[in-house]
């Protein structure tokens, strides 16, 4: 007969559920006969009766090969970085073979040393627990259900919780204990010991959201269960009795004592040697905080993925079914996007002015108490360059050239050079001309302020603030230097799309998700300003056969609204009018009057239909102000439309979820691009083939799409998007600034990446500032992101396809007529064949026939 401790011959059996009742009845009748022969007839009848009464409705024994408890759903970036987890119970199921033998022994030693010898139930312990419960109910003695739980009974309880709910399955009643015992007995008949251990070790609650040993290994030690030391195993094995009481986070000394108990039990049972016991007992209790990858990595992106999964699959599936969700996010681009938004908002916010200290500690006693509290909080922690700290101003220089700031135990200097931006908020003021000349204009002793620990060269992040004279007296080394910071009041959104793979590569919905979960990339409907003008000109190019050389009169107009009895008189940003201009000149220089006149030529209703066709999901205002971007749009929608421009007029969906698998690895959906370098080959082949049957919609002719891109390329080379040239790669795009600078945009793209950046206030308490245009506020964010996102990745120039029916001509920029190559004030423009100008600009050097004849006379 094989040893039950070593017999694993049944561990791979495919089980068919609960044995029939008559199987148990036979056993019970045998037991009844034995009891009757021994004179215990009443006991025999009680056993049979109890079985039938309490076993009714018990859940089926789980089939081991179909075991599917609630497990964690994991969200990954396209390049396989974990971005988030969602669960009710953080459980990761691992095969029994992957669980270390020593860890199994640790649980057996501490929880159920006779596990391999009993039939699933500690009869005496269960009877004692039931009797104590009955006595408690009769108020004859205090206490509830106690003791009597083998590992098999604990597994039975987990099955009951799964089937009946936590409240019912953990009720402190005799009925529950008896039903648990019956189910444990059935488990022992249906499963091997190893299979019961497999179920138990993947189910047991081990504190801090950890269900099962793999989850506990990750939560406490950031390790795979196979890599745990003996000390770590025994600490985990000591947790089931009271996870909170023995929590190594909350009560490390109690956890150490419990670990010693488990090690002692293992030594007594002969599972470990004395040397192993002593070595493990000497290990320090060192655990790590549970990683919150959701909040720490890309919360706005991951939350958008969560919402989408819930909408399409349901919340129970997300929280229980262990999906693997592979997003389209590129982790490096996502980090670059978050850094660009943070740095850009800090710069914009400083140009708005200083809103004052976090707090004012007027009295000396208050300041001392604050400093002492900060000292204790920091302990021996060293100051780190670039990190933000909260400090208190302890002294101001008489000449206003600096201030002393106390940060925890450290005294440091805040030179004027590190806070010249700190003027009072004034949206009408021109920032560089209003920088302060003394720290006394912004600070007082006792001010609690936010500072960044920096070196001298980083005292300012704005070249306009640097002053050589102020820098002369600041030491290069030795002194602890700070610069003044404040939490930005303005917000930003960034959406970046790979237009050819149709991937959302990066997305940021605001400055701080923990402060405000509102995702401005998907939820903030903002006026796009001049970013909408390409919509207008593309409609004219496509539906009216206008061209780059179409002449538009830039002259004053007044629009009357008879319904509201108001008149609207649009003006250019420069407030000047220049007369006849070419369509190209009007768009490149973002002129308002030509855009309104083009809008009028297309028509209000056709423009609304055109905007919808391009991909806008928000309604367009049905008046001429829409030409200048008065209708609100979502940054997500705007980025998708510019992706259509990038693809020369072909509209396709953008995905932020690449692939979804269920817990068994079966594919539920797949949007993988054929050239995705991170995706497995089989995904690329299958999904790439499927993409052949999803060509998208050509919403404008490819010729119109290319001409529009050529115009937007001119915005960067010659117009308001000029700073984008610092990318060092061919780029096209459009700035956008609304009235009073409440919204600032830059929507631009290279051949392989489309990015939209927005800056503004959530509730518009005041304008960003008179000079905060899209080119000044949003374009730097776009540029900082694109530099990192495209680092080492060459981008080609925008060329027309060979199949396009285009004519390339040199055009006079004033008249729109064909000009000789090399002539002044002309440039290359593209035309759909049949729309090109025929008239030529006269060559001043050419002598006419009449003049020749007169000269001959």
């Amino acid at each position: 007969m094989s040893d039950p401790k070593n017999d694993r011959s049944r561990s791979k059996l495919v089980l068919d559920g609960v044995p029939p009742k008559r199987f148990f009845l036979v056993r019970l009748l045998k037991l009844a006969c034995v009891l009757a022969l021994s004179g215990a007839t009443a006991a025999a009848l009680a056993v049979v009766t109890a079985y039938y009464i309490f076993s009714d409705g018990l859940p089926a024994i789980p089939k081991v090969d179909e075991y599917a408890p609630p497990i964690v759903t994991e969200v990954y970036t396209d390049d396989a970085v974990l971005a988030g987890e969602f669960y009710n119970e953080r459980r990761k199921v691992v095969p029994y073979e992957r669980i270390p033998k020593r860890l199994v022994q640790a649980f057996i030693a501490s929880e159920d040393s006779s596990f391999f010898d009993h039939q699933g139930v500690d009869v005496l312990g269960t009877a004692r627990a039931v009797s104590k419960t009955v006595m408690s109910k009769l108020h004859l003695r205090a206490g509830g259900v106690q003791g009597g739980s083998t590992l098999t009974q604990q597994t039975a309880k987990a099955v009951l919780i799964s089937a009946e709910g936590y409240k019912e399955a953990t009720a402190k009643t005799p009925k529950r204990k008896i039903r648990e015992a019956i189910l444990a007995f059935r488990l022992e008949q249906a499963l091997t010991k190893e299979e019961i251990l497999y179920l138990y070790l993947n189910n047991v609650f081990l504190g801090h959201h950890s269900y099962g040993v793999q989850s506990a290994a990750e939560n406490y030690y950031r390790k795979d269960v196979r890599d745990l030391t003996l000390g770590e195993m025994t600490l985990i094995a000591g947790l089931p009795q009271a996870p909170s009481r023995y929590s190594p986070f909350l009560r490390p000394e109690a956890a150490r004592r419990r670990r010693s108990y488990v090690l002692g039990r293992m030594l007594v049972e002969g599972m470990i040697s004395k040397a192993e016991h002593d070595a493990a007992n000497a290990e320090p209790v060192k655990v790590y905080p549970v990683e919150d990858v959701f909040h720490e990595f890309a919360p706005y992106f991951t939350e958008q993925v969560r919402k989408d999964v819930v909408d399409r699959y349901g919340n129970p599936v997300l929280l229980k079914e262990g999906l693997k969700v592979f997003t389209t996010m590129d982790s490096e681009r996502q980090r670059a996007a978050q850094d660009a938004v943070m740095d850009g908002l800090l710069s914009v916010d400083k140009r708005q002015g200083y809103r004052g200290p976090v707090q004012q500690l007027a009295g000396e006693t208050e300041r001392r108490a604050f400093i002492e509290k900060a000292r204790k909080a920091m302990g021996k922690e060293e100051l780190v360059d670039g990190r933000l700290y909260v400090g208190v101003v302890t002294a101001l220089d008489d000449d206003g050239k600096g201030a002393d700031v106390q940060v925890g135990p450290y005294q440091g200097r805040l030179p004027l050079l590190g806070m010249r931006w700190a003027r009072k908020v004034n949206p009408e003021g021109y920032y560089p001309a209003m920088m302060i000349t003394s720290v006394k204009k912004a600070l007082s002793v006792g001010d609690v302020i936010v500072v960044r620990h920096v070196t001298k060269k980083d005292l300012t992040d704005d070249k306009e603030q640097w002053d050589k004279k102020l820098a002369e007296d600041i030491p290069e080394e030795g002194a602890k230097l700070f610069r003044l910071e404040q939490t930005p009041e303005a917000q930003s959104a960034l959406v970046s799309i790979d237009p050819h793979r149709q991937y959302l590569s990066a997305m940021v919905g605001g400055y701080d998700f923990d402060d405000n979960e509102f995702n401005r990339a998907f939820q903030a409907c903002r006026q796009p300003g001049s970013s909408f003008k390409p919509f207008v000109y593309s409609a004219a190019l496509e539906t009216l056969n206008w061209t780059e050389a179409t002449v538009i009169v830039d002259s004053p107009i007044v629009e009357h609204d008879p319904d509201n009895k108001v008149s609207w008189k649009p003006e250019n940003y420069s407030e000047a009018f220049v007369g006849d201009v070419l369509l190209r000149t009007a768009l490149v220089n973002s002129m308002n009057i030509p855009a309104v006149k083009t809008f009028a030529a297309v028509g209000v209703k056709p423009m609304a239909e055109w905007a919808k066709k391009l991909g806008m999901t928000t309604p367009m205002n049905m008046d001429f102000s829409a030409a200048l971007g008065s209708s609100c749009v979502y940054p997500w929608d705007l980025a998708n439309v510019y992706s259509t421009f990038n693809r020369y007029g072909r509209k396709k969906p953008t995905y932020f979820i690449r692939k979804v698998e269920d817990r068994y690895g079966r594919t539920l959906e797949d949007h993988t691009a054929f050239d995705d370098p991170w995706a497995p080959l089989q995904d690329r082949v299958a999904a790439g083939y499927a993409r052949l049957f999803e060509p998208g919609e050509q919403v404008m002719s490819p010729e119109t799409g290319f001409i529009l891109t050529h115009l937007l390329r001119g915005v960067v080379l010659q117009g308001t998007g000029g700073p984008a040239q610092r990318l060092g790669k061919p780029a096209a795009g459009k700035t956008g600034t609304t009235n009073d600078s409440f919204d600032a945009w830059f929507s631009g793209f290279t051949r392989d990446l489309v990015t939209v950046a927005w800056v503004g206030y959530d509730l518009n308490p005041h304008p960003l500032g008179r000079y905060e245009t899209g080119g000044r506020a949003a374009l730097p964010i776009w540029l900082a992101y694109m530099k990192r996102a495209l680092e080492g990745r060459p981008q080609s120039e925008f060329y027309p396809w060979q199949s396009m029916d285009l004519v390339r001509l040199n055009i006079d920029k004033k008249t729109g007529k064909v000009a000789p190559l090399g002539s002044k004030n002309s440039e290359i423009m593209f035309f759909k064949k049949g729309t090109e100008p025929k008239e030529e600009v006269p060559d001043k050097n050419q002598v006419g026939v009449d003049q020749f004849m007169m000269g001959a006379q």
Side-chain angles (χ1 to χ4, degrees):
M1 188 173 185
S2 61
D3 184 348
K5 294 185 181 181
N6 298 314
D7 182 12
R8 300 177 59 153
S9 59
R10 292 194 295 157
S11 63
K12 300 299 181 185
L13 290 177
V14 177
L15 304 168
D16 294 322
V18 185
K21 275 191 177 182
R22 68 167 178 259
F23 172 80
F24 290 102
L25 182 59
V26 170
R27 285 177 171 266
L28 287 168
L29 288 173
K30 287 181 179 179
L31 177 60
C33 290
V34 171
L35 291 171
L37 291 172
S38 62
T41 306
L45 291 173
V47 170
V48 175
T49 302
Y51 174 80
Y52 271 98
I53 291 174
F54 293 110
S55 66
D56 186 52
L58 280 175
I61 302 301
K63 297 180 181 180
V64 173
D65 60 338
E66 296 178 5
Y67 172 59
I71 57 176
V72 62
T73 286
E74 297 170 318
V75 178
Y76 291 93
T77 68
D78 188 36
D79 48 341
V81 176
L82 182 65
E85 296 180 332
F86 299 102
Y87 50 83
N88 279 332
E89 300 175 0
R90 191 184 187 280
R91 177 186 290 104
K92 293 185 178 180
V93 175
V94 289
Y96 181 77
E97 292 75 14
R98 272 189 57 196
I99 301 173
K101 179 182 176 182
R102 285 287 170 83
L103 181 58
V104 176
Q105 291 174 325
F107 275 95
I108 290 173
S110 60
E111 294 291 312
D112 187 2
S113 58
S114 61
F115 173 74
F116 281 101
D117 300 316
H118 61 61
Q119 294 299 306
V121 181
D122 179 351
V123 178
L124 294 177
T126 300
R128 183 169 58 251
V130 171
S131 66
K132 286 184 178 180
T133 301
V134 172
M135 298 292 279
S136 175
K137 294 290 183 182
L138 297 173
H139 305 290
L140 297 177
R141 64 186 300 170
V145 176
Q146 300 179 17
S149 289
T150 64
L151 288 180
T152 311
Q153 285 177 274
Q154 292 181 49
T155 305
K157 181 191 288 186
V159 173
L160 284 170
I161 290 173
S162 179
E164 301 175 353
Y166 183 84
K167 184 177 180 181
E168 180 71 20
T170 58
K172 295 183 177 181
T173 62
K175 176 183 176 181
R176 194 270 297 175
K177 288 299 294 184
I178 294 171
R179 283 168 60 82
E180 180 188 290
I182 294 171
L183 187 57
F185 181 68
R186 288 184 176 180
L187 282 169
E188 289 281 347
Q189 305 309 307
L191 306 178
T192 67
K193 291 288 187 178
E194 287 79 6
E195 287 167 341
I196 292 171
L197 285 171
Y198 165 72
L199 296 177
Y200 172 78
L201 293 171
N202 280 299
N203 256 308
V204 61
F205 177 60
L206 297 167
H208 296 279
H209 305 291
S210 302
Y211 286 81
V213 292
Q214 176 65 28
S215 180
E218 293 178 5
N219 276 11
Y220 293 117
Y221 298 109
R222 298 181 184 174
K223 290 182 177 182
D224 188 276
V225 68
R226 293 173 297 184
D227 301 323
L228 295 172
T229 67
L230 179 60
E232 293 165 348
M233 292 178 192
T234 47
L235 187 144
I236 289 174
L239 293 172
Q241 285 291 320
S244 297
R245 188 191 313 162
Y246 300 126
S247 167
F249 292 116
L250 305 176
R251 297 179 174 85
E253 186 56 33
R256 188 193 63 77
R257 289 195 298 270
R258 180 65 179 170
R259 183 186 67 181
S260 295
Y261 166 77
V262 177
L263 285 167
R265 290 290 306 129
M266 292 182 76
L267 182 63
V268 168
E269 294 291 331
M271 297 173 175
I272 57 174
S273 67
K274 184 66 168 62
E276 288 173 318
H277 169 277
D278 294 345
N281 205 32
E283 287 183 21
V285 175
K286 186 177 181 181
V287 291
Y288 302 91
V290 178
E291 289 186 288
D292 187 355
V293 291
F294 174 88
H295 286 88
E296 292 174 4
F297 187 63
Y300 284 109
F301 198 122
T302 308
E303 172 61 10
Q304 191 63 32
V305 169
R306 185 197 68 79
K307 288 180 178 179
D308 185 70
V309 171
V310 169
D311 286 345
R312 294 187 294 117
Y313 294 95
N315 205 44
V317 172
L318 175 81
L319 297 178
K320 296 180 180 180
E321 292 305 316
L323 302 177
K324 277 192 167 50
V325 181
F326 300 92
T327 71
T328 61
M329 184 201 315
D330 181 305
S331 64
E332 292 302 316
R333 287 181 174 176
Q334 182 65 29
R335 291 187 184 97
Q338 290 171 178
D339 291 345
V341 166
M342 179 174 288
D343 293 344
L345 278 179
L346 288 172
S347 296
V348 170
D349 192 69
K350 287 176 181 178
R351 293 199 294 269
Q352 309 308 299
Y354 181 53
R355 295 187 298 276
V358 176
Q359 187 180 356
Q360 225 296 319
L361 305 174
E364 182 66 28
T365 303
E366 289 179 276
R367 293 198 287 273
R368 286 180 180 174
F370 179 90
I371 292 171
E372 186 57 32
K373 188 175 181 180
R375 284 179 189 274
K376 290 180 180 178
M378 286 192 68
K380 297 180 180 180
E381 179 186 341
E382 294 288 336
L383 293 175
V384 178
D385 283 346
R387 183 173 293 178
L388 295 174
Y389 296 93
V390 176
V392 60
V393 178
T394 56
L396 301 175
D397 294 355
D398 292 337
D399 60 4
K401 295 297 177 63
D404 292 335
V405 178
Q406 187 78 27
V407 174
Y410 302 104
Q411 181 81 24
R413 287 284 292 167
L414 172 54
L416 175 61
L417 189 60
M419 56 173 291
R420 294 184 69 206
W421 60 271
R423 63 180 173 88
K424 291 183 179 179
V425 175
N426 179 5
E428 292 299 312
Y430 182 53
Y431 157 73
M434 299 184 68
M435 288 188 283
I436 63 174
T437 56
S438 169
V439 297
K440 293 181 179 180
K441 293 186 176 182
L443 299 180
S444 301
V445 172
D447 281 356
V448 177
I449 58 176
V450 178
V451 294
R452 189 184 301 273
H453 184 239
V454 294
T455 57
K456 180 179 177 179
K457 66 181 178 63
D458 293 321
L459 272 169
T460 172
D461 53 359
D462 186 342
K463 291 185 291 186
E464 292 176 317
Q465 289 187 54
W466 190 263
D467 185 293
K468 289 184 179 180
K469 190 172 181 181
L470 289 176
E472 288 177 356
D473 298 330
I474 301 172
E476 294 286 348
E477 297 179 358
K480 298 187 184 302
L481 298 177
F482 300 111
R483 81 179 189 211
L484 183 65
E485 302 283 2
Q486 66 182 357
T487 301
E489 185 180 35
Q491 286 290 349
S492 180
L494 185 146
V495 178
S496 184
I497 295 172
D498 181 328
H500 307 297
R501 291 178 182 151
Q502 300 168 239
Y503 283 4
L504 177 62
S505 292
M507 183 268 287
V508 180
Y511 177 73
D512 185 355
F513 181 86
D514 291 329
D515 180 61
N516 189 333
E517 297 181 12
F518 182 64
N519 187 342
R520 294 150 192 89
F522 279 80
Q523 296 174 288
C525 199
R526 309 293 303 204
Q527 291 183 344
S530 296
S531 291
F532 190 78
K533 288 175 182 174
F535 290 62
V536 178
Y537 289 114
S538 64
L541 291 168
E542 180 71 5
T543 64
L544 304 180
N545 275 333
W546 285 22
T547 70
E548 293 193 61
T550 297
V551 176
I552 309 170
V553 181
D554 179 36
S555 60
I557 58 172
V558 178
E559 276 301 317
H560 299 285
D561 184 348
D563 294 331
N564 297 313
K565 296 181 180 180
V566 295
S567 296
W568 176 60
K569 184 180 180 180
E571 295 181 341
N572 291 321
Y573 184 77
S574 65
E575 300 181 356
F577 303 97
V578 298
D580 289 355
V581 294
L582 303 191
L583 182 150
R584 179 178 180 83
T585 304
L587 178 56
V588 165
N589 294 292
S590 199
M591 300 170 71
N592 289 340
I593 304 302
V596 174
K597 290 186 174 181
T598 304
F599 184 96
V602 175
V604 176
K605 188 175 180 181
M607 267 307 313
E609 292 171 351
W610 180 253
K612 185 177 180 181
K613 186 177 183 180
L614 288 177
M616 301 312 302
T617 60
T618 50
M620 191 194 81
N621 293 345
M622 301 304 284
D623 59 66
F624 285 3
S625 70
L628 306 183
S630 65
S631 310
C632 76
V633 301
Y634 298 113
W636 165 249
D637 283 352
L638 195 62
N640 275 295
V641 172
Y642 273 76
S643 295
T644 297
F645 296 159
N646 173 282
R647 291 187 292 260
Y648 297 164
R650 187 169 291 276
K651 184 171 74 172
K652 295 182 178 182
T654 299
Y655 302 105
F656 48 85
I657 293 178
R658 178 179 69 79
K659 184 181 180 182
V660 178
E661 293 178 350
D662 68 9
R663 66 164 73 213
Y664 305 109
R666 297 177 298 202
T667 299
L668 303 181
E669 62 179 281
D670 195 346
H671 308 289
T672 303
F674 75 92
D675 60 344
D676 184 342
W678 299 105
L681 179 61
Q682 63 269 25
D683 291 354
R684 294 163 58 186
V685 171
Y689 179 74
R691 289 274 188 98
L692 295 175
F693 301 95
E694 300 173 2
E697 178 187 2
Q698 193 72 41
V699 295
M700 65 181 81
S701 69
E703 289 82 0
T704 297
F706 171 76
I707 292 170
L708 182 65
T709 298
H710 185 242
L711 288 165
L712 295 174
R713 180 81 175 104
V715 173
V716 170
L717 291 174
Q718 304 161 333
T720 57
Q725 292 183 68
R726 295 202 293 269
L727 178 62
K729 295 175 171 64
K734 186 70 190 74
T735 53
T737 310
T738 59
N739 287 342
D740 299 320
S741 297
F742 280 112
D743 297 278
W745 300 78
F746 187 71
S747 307
F749 52 87
T750 63
R751 200 72 206 90
D752 299 329
L753 196 62
V754 178
T755 301
V756 168
W758 165 83
V759 176
Y761 292 106
D762 282 338
L763 301 177
N764 292 342
H766 54 77
L768 281 171
R770 186 176 178 183
Y771 304 95
E772 295 295 340
T773 62
R776 181 168 171 80
L779 201 156
I781 293 175
W782 181 94
L783 183 61
Y785 163 73
M786 292 290 278
K787 279 184 174 179
R788 284 177 57 182
L790 294 173
E791 186 176 4
R793 304 183 191 192
Q795 299 292 290
S796 67
E797 187 55 86
F798 300 94
Y799 295 113
W801 303 333
Q802 288 185 348
S803 60
M804 290 181 180
D805 204 3
L806 291 171
V807 176
R808 181 177 182 269
L809 294 172
N810 193 49
I811 301 296
D812 179 75
K813 291 197 284 187
K814 181 63 178 175
T815 64
K817 298 176 181 179
V818 180
L821 287 173
S823 63
K824 293 182 179 179
N825 200 38
S826 66
E827 64 180 304
I828 298 296
M829 299 185 192
F830 290 86
F831 304 86
K832 289 184 278 185
K833 193 170 184 179
T835 67
E836 70 273 17
K838 306 298 183 184
E839 192 175 354
E840 298 182 358
V841 176
D843 189 342
K844 294 180 180 180
N845 297 320
Q846 182 178 356
V847 179
V849 175
D850 293 340
Q851 291 175 305
F852 177 79
M853 293 301 293
M854 289 174 63
Q857 292 175 355

